[in-house]
Amino acid sequence: MKLIFMIILILVLGGFLRFDRISELMPFIGDQGWFYLSARDMILTGEIPLVGPQTSHPWIHHGALWTYALGIMLSVFSFDPIVPAYFMAGLGTVTILLLYLIAKSMFGIKVAFLASILYAASPLIVMNARIPYHTSPIPFFVIVLFFLTYRWIRGNVGVFPVITFLLGVLYNHEITTFV
């Protein structure tokens, strides 16, 4: 019972830090605007892009997965630009629980508590979870990827197709995560 209470307390702390006044203090940078405009154009024209916006190198484009996710959120919620921030804050809070569960199964309860507390309250991680940007879902997918790679190394070869799928998802969110 004490264990469940501590986990809930960590989730409440992480959720508070991610959701507190997000509609007033959400960071918004120019690169986010590219994705928002790309998602808006996709919705209004009906043309689904095969690649995302250009990077700083014109011959390289971001993946289109975040544009699709933004398009769905914006179309369902009447183009409210804050909805993706709420989505990311929610995913960031779920990632705290996921980190706890995976760290517990790999390293034990003490490491899981320490990791989840640090993850819940780290300022840079909290800031990343409050910004609706294509790099924000990466921690969720990387944690799952590490766990499945761990399972694969331990002999569970059935997770290999999921690992390759996750590598594709990560590559679609940010080219550097593929490395």
Side-chain angles (χ1 to χ4, degrees), residues 6 12 32-33 43 45 72 84 92 116-117 119 128 138 160 168 178:
M6 292 296 290
V12 167
Q32 281 176 267
I43 295 165
T45 65
I72 292 168
S116 59
I117 288 169
Y119 190 86
N128 184 57
I138 290 173
F160 187 73
F178 193 71

Side-chain angles (χ1 to χ4, degrees), residues 5 13 20 26 42 58-59 62 79 99 103 128 163 166 173:
F5 178 73
L13 170 69
D20 182 44
M26 178 191 84
M42 179 182 72
W59 62 90
H62 292 290
F79 291 94
L99 175 65
N128 184 57
I163 289 172
L166 282 175
H173 279 288

